Each structure stands twice: as C-alpha cells, then as structure tokens.
Amino acid sequence: GKNGKPYLDGGGDLRFNLSHSEDVAYIAVRTGGAVGIDVERPRVVRDIDDLAAMVLSMQERTELASAHEASRNAAFLCAWTRKEAFVKALGLGITVDLPSITVGVTTDERTVPPVNGLSTEAVHVRTLACGEGEHVALACVGGDDRVMCFDA
C-alpha cells in the first residue's frame, strides 16, 4: 500500500493496522475506511519538552504545559499514540510535519478535520481503554466505528 502500509490483496474494503510495544500487540480491523492503531507501554519519557517541541502542535504544547506535573508524561504518551495512529491511518510516516496535526493530549474523542496536503477526509481519533495501563489510540478515516477489545 501507500508508503509501505500493509494491505490484504483481494481483501475488498477490509482495512487493518497493527502496533506493538514490548510484550503487547494490538490490531485494528475495519471495513469502509482506513484505520490506524498505536500502543505504547507506560514509561518515563526523557526530554519531554524537547520532544514535544518536535512533534506536538502549539495547541498540544499548551495543553501539555498546563497538565499537572505528575500527569505530563501520560499526557505526552497519549498525544504521541494518537498522532501515530493518525499518520498510520493515512498511510503516512512520522516524517510528515507532525506539529501541523492536532489530535490533543487528553483522552477525549476528537474528529480532526482534513489537513492540508495530508488528508482529504476527517479522521476520528480516540484513546482506548484496553489492557493494563498501555496507552492505545485508534484513528478511523472518514468517521468512527464500533470498537471491541479482546484479550488473547
């Protein structure tokens, strides 16, 4: 697929994406539109302000700066997984201008309008409550879908 994104040859409108972090993996499957998923295990992010300046939008950096010190790390990982799921849904790599995309640092559901040069459709982004403390985000191009989490 586009930019090396895997696809099912002869799969019709079935789309999928997968992500893993350490010993956990997630797969998203959808019909009717592209999908992206990302997972990060909880960890301490070093140089969080430097990373935020490179990958977060101005609005997201403001949200991160206003977060309570104890929750800044989780807020950054939330934003990172949401942004990663967004670019994966569009079949883009993280070499795109990530600060031009605003997906938020909180777990609220958000519909990101089309982004100049990146997408022609809105992308619905949400944080999932699956697993045990992982940061998991799902992005669906063109709207939202039903979500079910299974533990195997």
Side-chain angles (χ1 to χ4, degrees):
K2 183 179 177 184
N3 296 317
K5 184 175 180 176
Y7 68 98
L8 297 172
D9 193 20
D13 68 349
L14 186 66
R15 303 289 182 263
F16 75 97
N17 193 240
L18 55 103
S19 180
H20 69 88
S21 179
E22 296 177 16
D23 61 342
V24 297
Y26 285 83
I27 185 167
V29 180
R30 178 178 187 223
T31 58
V35 63
I37 193 160
D38 191 54
V39 59
E40 291 286 337
R41 295 286 281 165
R43 60 184 168 85
V44 174
V45 178
R46 305 228 185 282
D47 302 319
I48 198 167
D49 292 323
D50 292 338
L51 284 172
M54 290 189 297
V55 301
L56 299 184
S57 69
M58 182 61 76
Q59 178 183 334
E60 291 165 335
R61 289 193 305 269
T62 301
E63 291 173 16
L64 183 65
S66 67
H68 188 274
E69 187 64 31
S71 63
R72 288 185 80 232
N73 194 77
F76 178 83
L77 287 172
C78 179
W80 177 253
T81 55
R82 290 164 68 97
K83 199 156 289 213
E84 182 85 13
F86 178 92
V87 297
K88 288 172 73 177
L90 295 174
L92 305 170
I94 60 170
T95 58
V96 300
D97 180 23
L98 293 175
S100 70
I101 304 162
T102 300
V103 295
V105 304
T106 62
T107 60
D108 62 316
E109 292 187 30
R110 182 178 295 214
T111 299
V112 180
V115 178
N116 248 356
L118 297 179
S119 63
T120 57
E121 293 183 70
V123 179
H124 189 82
V125 180
R126 72 164 82 184
T127 298
L128 302 179
C130 298
E132 297 182 23
E134 296 101 24
H135 300 274
V136 184
L138 178 74
C140 297
V141 176
D144 189 25
D145 269 324
R146 181 174 51 127
V147 174
M148 297 185 309
C149 294
F150 300 97
D151 188 6

